[in-house]
Amino acid sequence: MNPLHLLDKVRIILSHTSHPGNLGGAARAMKTMGLDSLYLVNPKFFPDKEAERRATGALDILHKAKVCDTLDEALSGTVLAAAVTARPRDLSHEVFDGRQGAAKLLDLAQKDFVALVFGTEMSGLTTLEVSKCQIIIHIPANPEYSSLNLASAVQVMAYELRTACMGLVETTPASSTLRGGGMAATFDEIELLYAHLEQVAISSGFLDPQEPKRLMQRMRRLFARARLEKEEVNILRGILSACEKRMQAKAAASLLTPDAPECERN
């Protein structure tokens, strides 16, 4: 397989953009580097004439962009998502520079989809959006003026992805595997695991939903580092299901047990 075909498995996701010109600029940046999968999460203006004007020669990418209501929808089916952000984060995922991050993404792009996620122009990605990703990519820039235009940031990462592809030898495509050789779990499978885990944690009394104290954010960081395989997700959900059944059985038994009779009076 031509390594450049791996770019077909990379989604560029722009979340809550406010300036339509950046959409056109991002589409143009993508096309110059051979990327064509653009996802837009709840854009403020789209379609828009300014976006089309800025997308000189790349109208095809702009016109076939997929508009999504949520980031979850845009990430559905991916096995690795990288949040592109310059801001330091509490409970941060692993952080890579652009070159390292591109290599990480392409490592899992053999057959399954991966994604680069960019935030709004004014404030970037929210903490919740970052938590939906598994790694963070930071583009090294002048610390005295590190602000990158959205379309420029897309151009930098598109270049890094193409450069990383060109450095690969032509190989027969392998299945998307992780360190242990297993199939990578998809975004959808891992999100279901998080929902299941939170449900059991609440049911067991371990998690107080009124005072969560960032427990689920910590769990997301833990599993993001682990790069879960499909079989591992199934094992974890099996354990959670067994815990649920045990709790339900104990609750049912307590309802069926009659009150102890009072001692007879002498």
Side-chain angles (χ1 to χ4, degrees):
M1 183 184 78
N2 181 344
L4 288 174
H5 289 167
L6 294 178
L7 297 177
D8 296 337
K9 296 295 183 180
V10 181
R11 296 178 187 174
I12 300 297
I13 300 175
L14 309 183
S15 180
H16 293 81
T17 53
S18 57
H19 300 296
N22 281 326
L23 302 182
R28 189 173 180 181
M30 291 169 60
K31 188 158 187 176
T32 60
M33 295 297 154
L35 292 150
D36 65 1
S37 185
L38 177 61
Y39 283 63
L40 307 176
V41 179
N42 196 22
K44 189 173 182 178
F45 300 105
F46 188 80
D48 187 270
K49 292 296 183 183
E50 176 64 13
E52 294 181 352
R53 188 183 69 79
R54 288 282 303 277
T56 305
L59 283 175
D60 55 332
I61 292 177
L62 197 62
H63 288 166
K64 70 178 182 180
K66 182 173 181 179
V67 179
C68 305
D69 292 328
T70 65
L71 180 58
D72 283 20
E73 182 184 348
L75 288 173
S76 179
T78 62
V79 296
L80 182 66
V84 183
T85 179
R87 290 193 290 122
R89 309 277 178 163
D90 291 337
L91 302 178
S92 176
H93 296 328
E94 287 183 280
V95 181
F96 301 94
D97 64 26
R99 192 150 300 174
Q100 295 166 333
K104 290 287 183 182
L105 288 167
L106 293 178
D107 189 43
L108 287 179
Q110 296 289 327
K111 281 192 173 180
D112 291 310
F113 291 97
V114 296
L116 273 170
V117 184
F118 299 82
T120 184
E121 295 92 337
M122 295 301 294
S123 56
L125 292 167
T126 66
T127 298
L128 178 59
E129 287 174 323
V130 172
S131 76
K132 300 284 185 179
C133 302
Q134 292 77 47
I135 64 174
I136 288 175
I137 290 179
H138 171 70
I139 299 174
N142 178 2
E144 296 179 5
Y145 187 70
S146 59
S147 177
L148 269 176
N149 170 270
L150 176 57
S152 297
V154 172
Q155 183 73 80
V156 169
M157 287 310 306
Y159 167 78
E160 292 291 1
L161 284 164
R162 186 173 184 84
T163 300
C165 278
M166 293 175 68
L168 298 173
V169 296
E170 293 199 7
T171 59
T172 301
S175 60
S176 293
T177 59
L178 297 178
R179 72 229 172 265
M183 295 291 294
T186 66
F187 170 81
D188 313 73
E189 292 165 339
I190 294 176
E191 285 299 308
L192 287 172
L193 169 63
Y194 290 142
H196 198 174
L197 176 60
E198 184 173 20
Q199 174 186 320
V200 173
I202 292 172
S203 299
S204 67
F206 184 80
L207 172 62
D208 180 356
Q210 302 303 315
E211 295 185 34
K213 297 181 179 178
R214 300 200 295 178
L215 172 66
M216 292 310 300
Q217 187 179 346
R218 290 180 182 276
M219 296 306 296
R220 282 178 175 274
R221 183 177 65 157
L222 185 157
F223 287 126
R225 290 199 305 269
R227 304 283 197 280
L228 290 172
E229 300 172 1
K230 289 179 181 288
E231 186 175 353
E232 292 168 341
V233 169
N234 291 335
I235 290 171
L236 289 169
R237 294 203 64 189
I239 293 171
L240 292 172
S241 295
C243 290
E244 284 182 309
K245 289 179 182 178
R246 179 61 64 88
M247 288 189 293
Q248 291 166 359
K250 290 184 70 174
S254 66
L255 291 175
L256 294 175
T257 302
D259 293 337
E262 294 184 5
C263 294
E264 294 184 359
R265 299 190 181 199
N266 292 329

